[in-house]
Amino acid sequence: MNPIDDQPYRMLIDGRWQAGGEGALFPTYDPATGDVLAQVHAATARDVDTAVRAARRAYDEHWRDTTPRERARLLRRLAALFEREVEKLAWIETRNVGKPITHSRESLSAMPASLDYFAGIIPAVRGDTIPMLNHASVLNFTLREPLGVCALVMPWNYPMTLTLHKLAPALAAGNTVVIKPSEITPLSTLALAALFAEAGFPDGVVNVVNGSGASVGEALVRHPGVARVSFTGGTATGAAIQAAAAADVKRVTLELGGKSPLIVFDDAALDAAVDVAVGDIVKNSGQVCIACTRLLVQDGIREAFQARLETRLAAIRMGDPADPQTQMGPLVSRAQAERVRAYLDIARQEGATPRSYPDPASRPETARGFYVPPTLLTTADNGMRTSQEEIFGPVQSLIGFKDEAQALRIANDTRYGLAAVVFTRDGGRALRMARRLESGSVAVNTGVRTSVDAPFGGYKHSGIGKERGLEAILENTQLKNVKYDTSL
């Protein structure tokens, strides 16, 4: 199947598909082959300004005054259209990101339910009445109101899923949006944008501008008409966005990097723990912010754990993402593959032993693309760069520990705090670890599975604010206090 449009992809501004103001194009690639997949029109700073102004006009003239019922109806209509187009969208994501088609189908098939969820909880966004301690005649209450124009700056690893998980609560709360997809993987977001007019959203409520973070992203984040910036991506970029947004005191939500630990005690269900480790290194080729990339295994079972993990990884089928039998595809770009390989060199220099499974050279279909096999760094310790820095690829460090206190100390010895996983049959220990681990999400005896109805976000350098759940809509609102003297 080839759903990729062979014409240059335009951008959506004020309900119209437009070329960039200077007519510039940039290529996006097929990670499985390295070939150019499509050409995309690049926005200028003036295009960004036009998009923000269109979003503000739509907010003032239409969207802020729509009823909760109307916003919910449009989101459900979008969910139905998405379900109709999910196969096409999955193929676009597979071609542009490099993830296996089975993975794309699985993740995108869940999106209509996510849209339905945000449509359903709109009535839960409400204010409170507050008793006045000294004024019986004064009615004191709060209102939850939208912010205005929200800028959504997207990553390249899950372009469709993460766009919808930012977009839906922003729209549900009554905001309008300008989306900047990653310049590496813009195609599925642009295909999604084509559904908004059919769903019935007014022109300008949703806008999409294409281009690099350094130019288009910078112009969008700094635009005075933007009230809130939501960003998912690397920590360094997130810090730069926070600094830029501070000039206009914009609201900021940042979902950033991770170096999550998988902590396996000697009483654990070993095969279940290995399942999580395999999934986190193979899924999307390890390009997942919450992936457990530090495997902390108690000394008494470390050899057994490593042996079972190596057996599983050696059987992974790495190859063409379009093949339904493929379990692991390429990395998203040549630059990302080179970055991961550079970290493997660093690991060797630091004294770790990289062990890779399987060998990409054994599969002819991997000869041209950006493939890096799943790799364990044995003889690793937590002080190594490869244990401290986010590699964002199929690489895990295997680190031993003696007891609960040491496991907790190693797990928290990182600037990140996005997620953590604990495997133990000791209920008391599980609760102690869950309370003391410095991370926004903790899973016990299962992997970290994000859910649309549960808040998600990190501690420390892993971010600010929450996405998903009711908290995601509240992040898109501002609270107003009203006092009304009913005696006059």
Side-chain angles (χ1 to χ4, degrees), residues 359-404:
D359 181 359
S362 67
R363 301 188 185 277
E365 66 269 32
T366 67
R368 297 175 55 209
F370 310 134
Y371 289 89
V372 176
T375 302
L376 291 181
L377 302 181
T378 60
T379 65
D381 67 63
N382 201 57
M384 294 176 174
R385 284 183 60 190
T386 46
S387 300
Q388 289 292 320
E389 298 176 13
E390 186 178 42
I391 299 173
F392 218 62
V395 181
Q396 291 171 321
S397 298
L398 186 59
I399 302 168
F401 68 87
K402 294 179 181 179
D403 54 26
E404 180 180 329

Side-chain angles (χ1 to χ4, degrees), residues 202-355:
D203 291 347
V205 170
V206 178
N207 307 270
V208 183
V209 291
N210 308 320
S212 72
S215 58
V216 178
E218 177 86 1
L220 182 58
V221 168
R222 290 188 179 277
H223 197 289
V226 169
R228 177 176 181 267
V229 179
S230 179
F231 169 75
T232 296
T235 298
T237 304
I241 285 175
Q242 184 179 20
D248 289 312
V249 199
K250 294 179 172 67
R251 301 286 186 91
V252 176
T253 299
L254 304 174
E255 197 269 279
L256 306 177
K259 200 69 181 177
S260 301
L262 167 61
I263 307 165
V264 186
F265 288 95
D266 57 12
D267 65 341
L270 202 56
D271 286 333
V274 170
D275 285 344
V276 171
V278 171
D280 280 7
I281 197 172
V282 170
K283 190 174 184 179
N284 206 23
S285 299
Q287 300 167 124
V288 183
C289 58
I290 59 172
C292 290
T293 52
R294 294 182 296 150
L295 309 179
L296 279 53
V297 185
Q298 198 157 17
D299 290 337
I301 60 169
R302 182 175 173 179
E303 289 186 5
F305 180 91
Q306 180 176 337
R308 296 189 194 194
L309 181 55
E310 288 178 329
T311 298
R312 292 283 304 278
L313 293 179
I316 292 299
R317 182 176 177 85
M318 184 168 58
D320 181 1
D323 184 346
Q325 301 303 312
T326 293
Q327 296 170 284
M328 180 174 167
L331 273 70
V332 74
S333 67
R334 187 181 309 280
Q336 188 64 16
E338 290 174 351
R339 169 186 166 86
V340 173
R341 294 188 188 107
Y343 268 106
L344 298 183
D345 290 338
I346 291 170
R348 294 183 186 96
Q349 294 164 12
E350 291 184 315
T353 304
R355 299 169 66 93

